[in-house]
Amino acid sequence: MNINERLLLHFRNGNGAARYLRNRIMNFDKLLVDFFSARSDIKRVIFGEKVAEKVLETMEYTEILGLRKEVASLEIKRIINYGKQNDHTAHTVYLFLLGIWMYDNVSDLREAINSKINSNQKEKMFVFQWTLAALLHDIGYLFYESRMVGNETANVFPDSSKEEQLQAFRVFGVYYDKFFRDAFEGEFDDFSWVKDEVELNVAKDTLREIWNQFEKKFIQINTRHVETPMAIIEELSRVPWLKVLGIEPVSGKGDSGFDYLISPTVKEDLVRNAEKIASFGYGNEKEDPRVDHAIASGLMLLQYTSIWYWLSAELEKKVDVKSPEDKKYKELYHNLYTNYQYPVKVLTDYVIPACRTVIYHNMNDKESIKLENEPLLYLAILCDELQVWDRFISGSAHLKAWDNAETHCMAENVMADAEGDESFVSFGFEYSRYRHKVKSTLDKRLSGWKKYVKL
Protein backbone atom coordinates (compact mmCIF):
# COMPACT_ATOMS: atom_id res chain seq x y z
CA MET A 1 0.00 0.00 0.00
CA ASN A 2 1.51 3.36 -0.93
CA ILE A 3 1.98 6.07 1.67
CA ASN A 4 -1.06 8.14 0.66
CA GLU A 5 -3.32 5.08 0.70
CA ARG A 6 -1.92 4.13 4.11
CA LEU A 7 -2.55 7.59 5.53
CA LEU A 8 -6.07 7.73 4.10
CA LEU A 9 -6.92 4.33 5.59
CA HIS A 10 -5.69 5.46 8.99
CA PHE A 11 -7.64 8.71 9.00
CA ARG A 12 -10.77 6.86 7.91
CA ASN A 13 -10.60 3.99 10.38
CA GLY A 14 -7.71 4.48 12.79
CA ASN A 15 -7.89 5.13 16.51
CA GLY A 16 -6.01 7.60 18.63
CA ALA A 17 -5.28 11.11 17.38
CA ALA A 18 -6.67 10.24 13.93
CA ARG A 19 -10.06 9.43 15.45
CA TYR A 20 -9.98 12.64 17.50
CA LEU A 21 -9.34 14.70 14.36
CA ARG A 22 -11.94 12.75 12.38
CA ASN A 23 -14.53 13.57 15.04
CA ARG A 24 -13.66 17.27 14.94
CA ILE A 25 -13.70 17.73 11.16
CA MET A 26 -16.73 16.66 9.16
CA ASN A 27 -15.88 14.68 6.00
CA PHE A 28 -12.17 14.91 6.74
CA ASP A 29 -11.48 11.82 4.64
CA LYS A 30 -13.08 13.46 1.60
CA LEU A 31 -10.74 16.42 1.95
CA LEU A 32 -7.83 13.99 2.09
CA VAL A 33 -9.04 12.14 -1.01
CA ASP A 34 -8.96 15.41 -2.98
CA PHE A 35 -5.50 16.21 -1.62
CA PHE A 36 -3.99 12.77 -2.21
CA SER A 37 -5.48 12.38 -5.69
CA ALA A 38 -4.31 15.78 -6.98
CA ARG A 39 -2.28 15.16 -10.12
CA SER A 40 -0.74 18.62 -10.53
CA ASP A 41 1.43 20.69 -8.21
CA ILE A 42 -0.97 23.64 -8.13
CA LYS A 43 -3.98 21.48 -7.29
CA ARG A 44 -2.01 19.73 -4.57
CA VAL A 45 -1.25 23.11 -2.99
CA ILE A 46 -4.88 24.23 -3.33
CA PHE A 47 -6.34 21.06 -1.81
CA GLY A 48 -3.60 20.96 0.82
CA GLU A 49 -4.60 24.43 1.96
CA LYS A 50 -8.20 23.26 2.31
CA VAL A 51 -7.00 20.50 4.63
CA ALA A 52 -4.86 22.99 6.55
CA GLU A 53 -7.79 25.39 6.87
CA LYS A 54 -10.03 22.76 8.48
CA VAL A 55 -7.29 21.68 10.88
CA LEU A 56 -6.48 25.28 11.88
CA GLU A 57 -10.19 25.93 12.29
CA THR A 58 -10.25 23.43 15.17
CA MET A 59 -8.01 25.82 17.15
CA GLU A 60 -9.38 29.09 15.67
CA TYR A 61 -6.17 30.03 13.83
CA THR A 62 -7.36 30.06 10.23
CA GLU A 63 -6.01 33.59 9.73
CA ILE A 64 -2.48 32.11 9.64
CA LEU A 65 -3.37 30.59 6.27
CA GLY A 66 -2.46 33.96 4.78
CA LEU A 67 1.19 33.46 5.71
CA ARG A 68 1.19 29.91 4.32
CA LYS A 69 -0.26 31.27 1.08
CA GLU A 70 2.52 33.83 0.69
CA VAL A 71 5.24 31.19 1.25
CA ALA A 72 3.57 29.03 -1.40
CA SER A 73 3.57 32.01 -3.77
CA LEU A 74 7.29 32.60 -3.24
CA GLU A 75 8.04 29.00 -4.13
CA ILE A 76 5.66 28.79 -7.07
CA LYS A 77 7.19 31.98 -8.51
CA ARG A 78 10.74 30.62 -7.88
CA ILE A 79 11.65 33.67 -5.81
CA ILE A 80 13.50 31.78 -3.05
CA ASN A 81 17.08 31.62 -4.28
CA TYR A 82 18.13 28.21 -2.94
CA GLY A 83 19.16 25.68 -5.56
CA LYS A 84 17.55 22.71 -3.85
CA GLN A 85 14.33 24.42 -2.75
CA ASN A 86 11.24 22.20 -2.67
CA ASP A 87 7.61 22.90 -1.84
CA HIS A 88 6.81 23.63 1.81
CA THR A 89 3.02 23.94 1.55
CA ALA A 90 1.77 20.46 0.65
CA HIS A 91 4.89 19.27 2.50
CA THR A 92 3.72 20.62 5.86
CA VAL A 93 0.26 19.09 5.38
CA TYR A 94 1.86 15.71 4.65
CA LEU A 95 4.16 16.19 7.63
CA PHE A 96 1.17 16.87 9.89
CA LEU A 97 -0.64 13.72 8.69
CA LEU A 98 2.50 11.59 8.83
CA GLY A 99 3.23 12.66 12.41
CA ILE A 100 -0.26 11.68 13.57
CA TRP A 101 0.04 8.29 11.84
CA MET A 102 3.39 7.67 13.55
CA TYR A 103 2.12 8.89 16.93
CA ASP A 104 -0.79 6.46 16.69
CA ASN A 105 1.31 3.52 15.45
CA VAL A 106 4.65 3.68 17.30
CA SER A 107 4.09 3.25 21.02
CA ASP A 108 7.52 4.51 22.14
CA LEU A 109 7.06 7.78 20.25
CA ARG A 110 3.53 8.20 21.60
CA GLU A 111 4.49 7.44 25.20
CA ALA A 112 7.45 9.85 25.10
CA ILE A 113 5.23 12.66 23.78
CA ASN A 114 2.42 11.86 26.22
CA SER A 115 4.85 12.00 29.13
CA LYS A 116 5.22 15.73 28.47
CA ILE A 117 1.47 16.35 28.19
CA ASN A 118 0.01 17.27 31.57
CA SER A 119 -3.59 16.50 30.64
CA ASN A 120 -6.01 13.59 30.63
CA GLN A 121 -6.81 14.51 27.02
CA LYS A 122 -3.51 13.36 25.55
CA GLU A 123 -4.64 13.00 21.94
CA LYS A 124 -6.38 16.38 21.87
CA MET A 125 -3.36 18.22 23.26
CA PHE A 126 -0.96 16.36 20.96
CA VAL A 127 -3.00 17.43 17.91
CA PHE A 128 -3.09 21.00 19.28
CA GLN A 129 0.70 21.12 19.64
CA TRP A 130 1.38 19.22 16.43
CA THR A 131 -0.72 21.68 14.43
CA LEU A 132 1.69 24.44 15.41
CA ALA A 133 4.80 22.29 15.19
CA ALA A 134 3.99 20.73 11.79
CA LEU A 135 1.51 22.78 9.75
CA LEU A 136 3.13 26.10 10.67
CA HIS A 137 6.79 25.23 11.06
CA ASP A 138 7.90 26.74 7.71
CA ILE A 139 6.08 30.10 7.65
CA GLY A 140 9.46 31.78 8.29
CA TYR A 141 10.38 31.30 4.63
CA LEU A 142 8.54 34.61 4.21
CA PHE A 143 11.76 36.30 5.41
CA TYR A 144 14.37 33.93 3.96
CA GLU A 145 15.20 35.50 0.60
CA SER A 146 17.41 38.61 0.58
CA ARG A 147 17.93 39.36 -3.13
CA MET A 148 16.30 42.37 -4.76
CA VAL A 149 12.83 41.85 -6.22
CA GLY A 150 10.06 44.00 -7.61
CA ASN A 151 7.94 45.61 -4.91
CA GLU A 152 4.51 44.04 -5.28
CA THR A 153 3.19 45.18 -1.90
CA ALA A 154 3.47 48.98 -1.91
CA ASN A 155 -0.31 49.34 -1.80
CA VAL A 156 -0.80 47.19 1.32
CA PHE A 157 0.03 49.98 3.82
CA PRO A 158 -0.10 53.75 3.29
CA ASP A 159 3.51 54.04 4.53
CA SER A 160 4.87 51.15 2.46
CA SER A 161 7.90 51.97 0.37
CA LYS A 162 7.10 52.86 -3.22
CA GLU A 163 10.55 51.82 -4.44
CA GLU A 164 10.45 49.54 -7.45
CA GLN A 165 13.16 47.19 -6.15
CA LEU A 166 13.69 46.08 -2.54
CA GLN A 167 15.14 43.11 -0.71
CA ALA A 168 12.65 40.26 -0.89
CA PHE A 169 12.36 40.02 2.91
CA ARG A 170 11.24 43.66 3.04
CA VAL A 171 8.68 43.19 0.30
CA PHE A 172 7.10 39.99 1.54
CA GLY A 173 7.55 40.79 5.23
CA VAL A 174 4.75 43.27 4.65
CA TYR A 175 2.37 40.32 4.77
CA TYR A 176 3.44 39.57 8.34
CA ASP A 177 2.50 43.12 9.35
CA LYS A 178 -0.78 42.80 7.42
CA PHE A 179 -1.48 39.56 9.28
CA PHE A 180 -1.58 41.47 12.61
CA ARG A 181 -3.55 44.35 11.15
CA ASP A 182 -6.20 41.98 9.82
CA ALA A 183 -6.46 40.05 13.09
CA PHE A 184 -6.57 42.95 15.53
CA GLU A 185 -7.51 46.13 13.70
CA GLY A 186 -10.87 45.10 12.37
CA GLU A 187 -10.74 42.39 9.70
CA PHE A 188 -10.75 39.47 12.15
CA ASP A 189 -14.25 38.28 11.36
CA ASP A 190 -15.11 35.34 13.59
CA PHE A 191 -17.50 37.14 15.94
CA SER A 192 -19.98 34.28 15.75
CA TRP A 193 -21.80 35.26 18.95
CA VAL A 194 -23.08 38.65 17.76
CA LYS A 195 -26.81 39.12 17.12
CA ASP A 196 -26.77 42.11 14.78
CA GLU A 197 -24.54 44.58 12.99
CA VAL A 198 -24.50 47.01 15.89
CA GLU A 199 -23.14 44.33 18.24
CA LEU A 200 -20.62 43.28 15.58
CA ASN A 201 -19.28 46.82 15.26
CA VAL A 202 -18.98 47.20 19.04
CA ALA A 203 -17.03 43.91 19.25
CA LYS A 204 -14.70 44.90 16.40
CA ASP A 205 -14.14 48.39 17.77
CA THR A 206 -13.37 47.02 21.24
CA LEU A 207 -10.87 44.50 19.89
CA ARG A 208 -9.23 47.26 17.84
CA GLU A 209 -9.08 49.50 20.91
CA ILE A 210 -7.37 46.83 23.02
CA TRP A 211 -4.94 46.17 20.17
CA ASN A 212 -4.10 49.89 20.00
CA GLN A 213 -3.40 49.84 23.74
CA PHE A 214 -1.13 46.86 23.20
CA GLU A 215 0.82 48.64 20.44
CA LYS A 216 1.26 51.77 22.53
CA LYS A 217 2.43 49.80 25.54
CA PHE A 218 4.65 47.21 23.91
CA ILE A 219 5.38 47.03 20.23
CA GLN A 220 4.29 47.96 16.75
CA ILE A 221 4.66 45.03 14.39
CA ASN A 222 6.76 46.69 11.74
CA THR A 223 8.92 44.39 9.61
CA ARG A 224 8.29 46.39 6.45
CA HIS A 225 10.87 49.01 7.49
CA VAL A 226 13.72 46.71 8.54
CA GLU A 227 16.75 46.63 6.27
CA THR A 228 18.87 43.66 7.37
CA PRO A 229 18.28 40.01 8.35
CA MET A 230 19.62 40.79 11.81
CA ALA A 231 17.05 43.55 12.22
CA ILE A 232 14.31 41.07 11.28
CA ILE A 233 15.47 38.67 14.00
CA GLU A 234 15.44 41.52 16.52
CA GLU A 235 11.95 42.59 15.40
CA LEU A 236 10.51 39.06 15.60
CA SER A 237 12.09 38.30 18.96
CA ARG A 238 10.42 41.13 20.89
CA VAL A 239 7.85 39.73 23.34
CA PRO A 240 7.92 42.01 26.46
CA TRP A 241 4.26 41.21 27.23
CA LEU A 242 5.19 37.68 28.33
CA LYS A 243 6.71 39.12 31.52
CA VAL A 244 3.42 40.93 32.18
CA LEU A 245 1.67 37.56 31.95
CA GLY A 246 4.02 36.30 34.68
CA ILE A 247 5.74 33.71 32.49
CA GLU A 248 9.25 32.81 33.63
CA PRO A 249 11.90 32.75 30.89
CA VAL A 250 14.17 29.72 30.53
CA SER A 251 17.16 32.06 30.34
CA GLY A 252 17.89 35.77 30.28
CA LYS A 253 15.58 38.54 31.44
CA GLY A 254 12.59 37.63 29.35
CA ASP A 255 12.94 40.56 26.96
CA SER A 256 13.44 38.30 23.95
CA GLY A 257 11.52 35.39 22.49
CA PHE A 258 14.77 33.43 22.60
CA ASP A 259 14.65 33.62 26.40
CA TYR A 260 11.47 31.51 26.36
CA LEU A 261 12.33 29.19 23.47
CA ILE A 262 15.81 28.12 24.53
CA SER A 263 15.76 24.38 25.23
CA PRO A 264 17.34 23.36 28.54
CA THR A 265 18.40 20.03 26.98
CA VAL A 266 19.65 20.96 23.48
CA LYS A 267 23.28 22.12 23.62
CA GLU A 268 23.32 23.93 20.29
CA ASP A 269 23.53 27.71 20.88
CA LEU A 270 20.27 28.93 19.39
CA VAL A 271 20.98 32.66 19.68
CA ARG A 272 24.52 32.39 18.35
CA ASN A 273 23.34 30.39 15.36
CA ALA A 274 20.53 32.83 14.62
CA GLU A 275 22.93 35.79 14.74
CA LYS A 276 25.62 34.00 12.73
CA ILE A 277 23.22 33.11 9.90
CA ALA A 278 21.70 36.60 9.95
CA SER A 279 25.20 38.10 9.66
CA PHE A 280 27.05 35.69 7.36
CA GLY A 281 24.64 33.10 6.00
CA TYR A 282 25.14 29.35 5.99
CA GLY A 283 28.91 29.13 5.68
CA ASN A 284 29.46 29.94 2.03
CA GLU A 285 32.75 31.53 1.06
CA LYS A 286 31.15 34.93 0.61
CA GLU A 287 28.95 36.61 3.18
CA ASP A 288 25.30 35.94 2.36
CA PRO A 289 23.16 37.06 5.34
CA ARG A 290 19.90 35.13 5.72
CA VAL A 291 17.03 34.74 8.13
CA ASP A 292 16.92 31.05 9.01
CA HIS A 293 13.36 29.94 8.26
CA ALA A 294 13.05 27.82 11.43
CA ILE A 295 14.29 30.65 13.67
CA ALA A 296 11.83 33.06 12.06
CA SER A 297 8.94 30.57 12.18
CA GLY A 298 9.35 29.88 15.91
CA LEU A 299 9.60 33.57 16.79
CA MET A 300 6.64 34.49 14.55
CA LEU A 301 4.43 31.85 16.15
CA LEU A 302 5.42 32.86 19.68
CA GLN A 303 4.75 36.53 18.96
CA TYR A 304 1.37 36.04 17.38
CA THR A 305 -0.13 33.32 19.58
CA SER A 306 0.97 34.91 22.85
CA ILE A 307 -0.70 38.24 22.04
CA TRP A 308 -4.11 36.54 22.21
CA TYR A 309 -3.29 35.36 25.75
CA TRP A 310 -2.27 38.89 26.75
CA LEU A 311 -5.47 40.23 25.18
CA SER A 312 -7.61 37.76 27.14
CA ALA A 313 -5.78 38.57 30.40
CA GLU A 314 -6.19 42.31 29.78
CA LEU A 315 -9.92 41.94 29.16
CA GLU A 316 -10.28 39.73 32.23
CA LYS A 317 -9.05 42.58 34.41
CA LYS A 318 -12.15 44.53 33.40
CA VAL A 319 -14.64 41.80 34.26
CA ASP A 320 -15.04 42.89 37.88
CA VAL A 321 -15.00 46.62 37.17
CA LYS A 322 -18.35 48.23 38.06
CA SER A 323 -18.24 51.08 35.54
CA PRO A 324 -21.16 50.85 33.08
CA GLU A 325 -18.93 52.04 30.22
CA ASP A 326 -16.80 48.91 30.64
CA LYS A 327 -19.67 46.65 29.60
CA LYS A 328 -18.22 46.30 26.08
CA TYR A 329 -14.93 44.93 27.51
CA LYS A 330 -16.74 42.43 29.69
CA GLU A 331 -18.86 41.20 26.81
CA LEU A 332 -15.85 40.80 24.50
CA TYR A 333 -13.94 38.92 27.19
CA HIS A 334 -16.79 36.57 28.04
CA ASN A 335 -17.52 35.83 24.39
CA LEU A 336 -13.88 35.44 23.36
CA TYR A 337 -13.17 33.26 26.37
CA THR A 338 -16.27 31.14 25.81
CA ASN A 339 -15.39 30.57 22.18
CA TYR A 340 -11.61 30.34 22.31
CA GLN A 341 -10.26 30.12 25.90
CA TYR A 342 -6.81 31.52 26.57
CA PRO A 343 -5.60 30.36 30.01
CA VAL A 344 -1.93 31.24 30.45
CA LYS A 345 -1.18 27.64 31.46
CA VAL A 346 -2.02 26.49 27.92
CA LEU A 347 0.50 29.02 26.62
CA THR A 348 3.25 27.83 28.96
CA ASP A 349 2.57 24.08 28.80
CA TYR A 350 1.67 23.59 25.14
CA VAL A 351 2.12 26.63 22.90
CA ILE A 352 5.64 27.59 23.96
CA PRO A 353 6.94 23.98 23.72
CA ALA A 354 5.42 23.75 20.21
CA CYS A 355 7.12 27.02 19.22
CA ARG A 356 10.36 25.63 20.67
CA THR A 357 10.01 22.59 18.40
CA VAL A 358 9.59 24.89 15.41
CA ILE A 359 12.59 27.09 16.19
CA TYR A 360 14.91 24.08 16.61
CA HIS A 361 13.69 21.92 13.73
CA ASN A 362 16.47 23.05 11.37
CA MET A 363 19.21 22.43 13.95
CA ASN A 364 21.74 19.61 13.72
CA ASP A 365 22.53 18.51 17.25
CA LYS A 366 22.31 14.73 17.10
CA GLU A 367 23.84 14.18 20.51
CA SER A 368 21.35 16.25 22.50
CA ILE A 369 18.08 15.95 20.55
CA LYS A 370 16.90 12.83 22.34
CA LEU A 371 13.44 11.33 22.25
CA GLU A 372 13.15 11.26 26.04
CA ASN A 373 14.10 14.97 26.35
CA GLU A 374 12.54 16.56 23.26
CA PRO A 375 9.96 14.08 21.93
CA LEU A 376 7.94 16.59 19.86
CA LEU A 377 11.13 17.94 18.24
CA TYR A 378 12.35 14.38 17.64
CA LEU A 379 9.11 13.50 15.85
CA ALA A 380 9.21 16.75 13.86
CA ILE A 381 12.71 16.08 12.52
CA LEU A 382 11.90 12.43 11.84
CA CYS A 383 8.82 13.33 9.78
CA ASP A 384 10.51 16.28 8.09
CA GLU A 385 13.23 14.05 6.66
CA LEU A 386 10.89 11.17 5.76
CA GLN A 387 8.47 13.35 3.80
CA VAL A 388 10.10 13.38 0.35
CA TRP A 389 7.15 12.45 -1.88
CA ASP A 390 4.79 14.71 -3.85
CA ARG A 391 6.87 17.88 -3.39
CA PHE A 392 7.19 20.16 -6.38
CA ILE A 393 10.66 21.46 -7.14
CA SER A 394 11.39 25.19 -7.29
CA GLY A 395 15.15 25.44 -6.77
CA SER A 396 17.45 26.24 -9.70
CA ALA A 397 19.61 23.14 -9.20
CA HIS A 398 16.55 20.90 -9.45
CA LEU A 399 15.23 22.74 -12.47
CA LYS A 400 18.53 22.50 -14.32
CA ALA A 401 18.38 18.73 -13.79
CA TRP A 402 14.80 18.52 -15.07
CA ASP A 403 15.59 15.32 -16.96
CA ASN A 404 15.75 13.53 -13.58
CA ALA A 405 12.08 14.37 -13.03
CA GLU A 406 11.21 10.90 -14.28
CA THR A 407 12.43 9.62 -10.94
CA HIS A 408 10.86 12.48 -8.94
CA CYS A 409 9.44 10.81 -5.83
CA MET A 410 5.66 10.47 -5.92
CA ALA A 411 3.38 8.79 -3.38
CA GLU A 412 3.10 5.71 -5.58
CA ASN A 413 6.90 5.33 -5.29
CA VAL A 414 6.73 4.97 -1.50
CA MET A 415 5.18 1.98 0.27
CA ALA A 416 4.33 2.20 3.97
CA ASP A 417 3.14 -0.15 6.68
CA ALA A 418 2.66 -0.24 10.44
CA GLU A 419 3.46 -3.20 12.65
CA GLY A 420 0.68 -4.75 14.70
CA ASP A 421 2.71 -4.53 17.92
CA GLU A 422 3.22 -0.76 17.41
CA SER A 423 6.99 -1.08 17.65
CA PHE A 424 7.88 0.61 14.35
CA VAL A 425 6.63 1.71 10.92
CA SER A 426 8.24 0.76 7.64
CA PHE A 427 8.85 2.54 4.34
CA GLY A 428 9.83 1.09 0.98
CA PHE A 429 11.26 3.39 -1.71
CA GLU A 430 11.07 2.49 -5.38
CA TYR A 431 14.02 4.77 -6.11
CA SER A 432 17.11 3.93 -4.12
CA ARG A 433 18.43 7.50 -4.21
CA TYR A 434 15.52 8.62 -2.03
CA ARG A 435 16.07 5.79 0.42
CA HIS A 436 19.76 6.73 0.62
CA LYS A 437 18.87 10.42 1.01
CA VAL A 438 16.45 9.78 3.87
CA LYS A 439 18.83 7.36 5.60
CA SER A 440 21.76 9.73 5.24
CA THR A 441 19.95 12.77 6.66
CA LEU A 442 18.42 10.83 9.54
CA ASP A 443 21.80 9.31 10.40
CA LYS A 444 23.21 12.84 10.66
CA ARG A 445 20.33 14.29 12.65
CA LEU A 446 18.82 11.72 15.03
CA SER A 447 20.18 8.97 17.25
CA GLY A 448 18.18 5.75 17.48
CA TRP A 449 15.75 6.51 14.66
CA LYS A 450 16.11 2.98 13.23
CA LYS A 451 14.26 1.64 16.25
CA TYR A 452 11.09 3.42 15.13
CA VAL A 453 11.41 3.47 11.32
CA LYS A 454 12.55 0.68 9.00
CA LEU A 455 13.60 1.63 5.48
Side-chain angles (χ1 to χ4, degrees):
M1 189 177 292
N2 75 43
I3 181 61
N4 283 1
E5 292 169 338
R6 179 63 63 188
L7 291 174
L8 180 59
L9 180 66
H10 183 63
F11 281 93
R12 273 181 171 162
N13 305 316
N15 295 321
R19 180 173 57 190
Y20 167 78
L21 201 59
R22 188 168 65 242
N23 289 339
R24 291 295 308 277
I25 302 174
M26 185 178 296
N27 298 321
F28 190 53
D29 64 328
K30 292 181 180 178
L31 289 171
L32 295 181
V33 167
D34 288 340
F35 176 54
F36 292 149
S37 60
R39 305 317 301 155
S40 75
D41 295 332
I42 295 297
K43 283 194 173 183
R44 189 173 295 115
V45 169
I46 291 170
F47 288 126
E49 286 304 85
K50 290 182 179 180
V51 174
E53 180 179 10
K54 289 301 179 182
V55 173
L56 288 167
E57 208 172 75
T58 67
M59 50 189 285
E60 309 296 346
Y61 276 166
T62 53
E63 62 271 20
I64 297 183
L65 282 168
L67 299 184
R68 287 176 52 88
K69 176 186 174 182
E70 296 311 324
V71 171
S73 297
L74 294 180
E75 293 181 330
I76 289 168
K77 292 186 287 189
R78 284 28 175 181
I79 285 175
I80 295 178
N81 190 26
Y82 171 55
K84 296 182 179 180
Q85 188 76 7
N86 289 318
D87 147 76
H88 287 84
T89 306
H91 163 65
T92 51
V93 176
Y94 273 125
L95 195 153
F96 173 78
L97 301 172
L98 180 62
I100 290 178
W101 179 63
M102 294 183 70
Y103 170 88
D104 287 339
N105 284 285
V106 183
S107 58
D108 284 353
L109 293 175
R110 181 172 63 253
E111 289 167 9
I113 290 169
N114 286 349
S115 70
K116 303 287 186 178
I117 297 177
N118 183 26
S119 169
N120 58 6
Q121 296 178 295
K122 306 290 188 187
E123 292 154 358
K124 174 184 177 181
M125 299 316 298
F126 165 67
V127 172
F128 176 79
Q129 283 192 302
W130 189 239
T131 300
L132 292 169
L135 271 186
L136 303 175
H137 84 159
D138 283 333
I139 58 175
Y141 271 112
L142 198 66
F143 293 105
Y144 174 82
E145 183 53 55
S146 60
R147 65 185 165 128
M148 303 294 284
V149 298
N151 187 358
E152 304 172 10
T153 64
N155 63 333
V156 175
F157 285 93
D159 61 343
S160 291
S161 173
K162 301 300 189 292
E163 295 178 51
E164 292 184 4
Q165 292 277 318
L166 289 170
Q167 299 104 320
F169 60 72
R170 288 188 63 191
V171 173
F172 298 103
V174 165
Y175 290 111
Y176 186 61
D177 300 0
K178 180 179 183 295
F179 170 53
F180 285 88
R181 184 195 68 178
D182 290 353
F184 298 109
E185 291 183 22
E187 292 184 41
F188 176 73
D189 58 4
D190 193 2
F191 296 94
S192 54
W193 64 85
V194 300
K195 301 181 185 68
D196 52 42
E197 189 171 348
V198 172
E199 198 170 299
L200 174 64
N201 289 332
V202 170
K204 285 191 172 187
D205 288 345
T206 306
L207 179 60
R208 186 183 300 113
E209 183 182 329
I210 295 293
W211 167 247
N212 289 339
Q213 292 175 17
F214 173 87
E215 282 202 316
K216 288 178 183 177
K217 188 172 184 178
F218 295 115
I219 181 178
Q220 287 189 325
I221 306 301
N222 189 9
T223 63
R224 59 193 179 277
H225 291 149
V226 298
E227 296 187 359
T228 66
M230 183 64 79
I232 291 171
I233 295 297
E234 292 170 355
E235 187 74 20
L236 297 180
S237 65
R238 289 194 286 161
V239 286
W241 54 93
L242 290 183
K243 284 199 290 189
V244 175
L245 289 172
I247 301 174
E248 290 295 323
V250 177
S251 65
K253 299 178 181 179
D255 296 325
S256 165
F258 289 110
D259 296 343
Y260 298 91
L261 298 182
I262 291 286
S263 168
T265 61
V266 179
K267 295 178 182 177
E268 192 74 27
D269 192 327
L270 184 66
V271 178
R272 183 185 65 83
N273 276 354
E275 293 176 347
K276 181 180 177 182
I277 294 167
S279 300
F280 306 106
Y282 289 96
N284 299 326
E285 292 182 6
K286 63 177 181 178
E287 291 185 11
D288 186 21
R290 299 276 174 172
V291 176
D292 180 80
H293 77 275
I295 300 289
S297 299
L299 293 174
M300 290 161 74
L301 285 175
L302 179 64
Q303 249 188 5
Y304 180 67
T305 56
S306 62
I307 289 173
W308 286 102
Y309 290 86
W310 177 88
L311 175 71
S312 180
E314 188 69 15
L315 286 169
E316 187 176 12
K317 294 176 184 176
K318 303 179 183 294
V319 169
D320 295 325
V321 176
K322 305 301 182 184
S323 303
E325 62 268 22
D326 287 328
K327 179 183 177 183
K328 61 181 182 179
Y329 300 118
K330 297 175 186 177
E331 289 183 352
L332 181 62
Y333 168 74
H334 283 304
N335 285 306
L336 274 178
Y337 194 82
T338 298
N339 283 274
Y340 307 123
Q341 298 189 7
Y342 291 98
V344 171
K345 187 170 176 58
V346 172
L347 176 62
T348 57
D349 291 1
Y350 302 106
V351 175
I352 289 178
C355 295
R356 182 175 296 126
T357 291
V358 171
I359 206 170
Y360 276 99
H361 86 262
N362 204 32
M363 293 280 181
N364 285 306
D365 192 347
K366 180 178 177 178
E367 298 308 313
S368 60
I369 298 176
K370 303 290 188 184
L371 178 63
E372 59 271 23
N373 295 330
E374 299 286 349
L376 201 67
L377 175 59
Y378 193 97
L379 180 66
I381 294 173
L382 190 58
C383 293
D384 209 14
E385 300 299 346
L386 282 167
Q387 206 288 296
V388 295
W389 67 92
D390 286 355
R391 299 185 67 180
F392 71 78
I393 55 178
S394 61
S396 57
H398 290 317
L399 295 171
K400 287 175 184 176
W402 60 268
D403 51 331
N404 284 331
E406 184 179 358
T407 57
H408 180 62
C409 191
M410 305 293 288
E412 52 265 38
N413 307 131
V414 183
M415 300 297 111
D417 203 357
E419 296 302 304
D421 63 358
E422 296 190 354
S423 56
F424 63 89
V425 293
S426 59
F427 291 81
F429 292 87
E430 180 178 347
Y431 302 125
S432 60
R433 68 188 177 104
Y434 284 97
R435 176 168 56 84
H436 293 319
K437 175 182 182 294
V438 170
K439 181 180 182 302
S440 174
T441 53
L442 285 175
D443 281 343
K444 291 176 184 176
R445 302 199 65 193
L446 292 178
S447 297
W449 67 268
K450 293 177 183 176
K451 180 180 177 183
Y452 316 113
V453 175
K454 307 297 181 186
L455 300 184

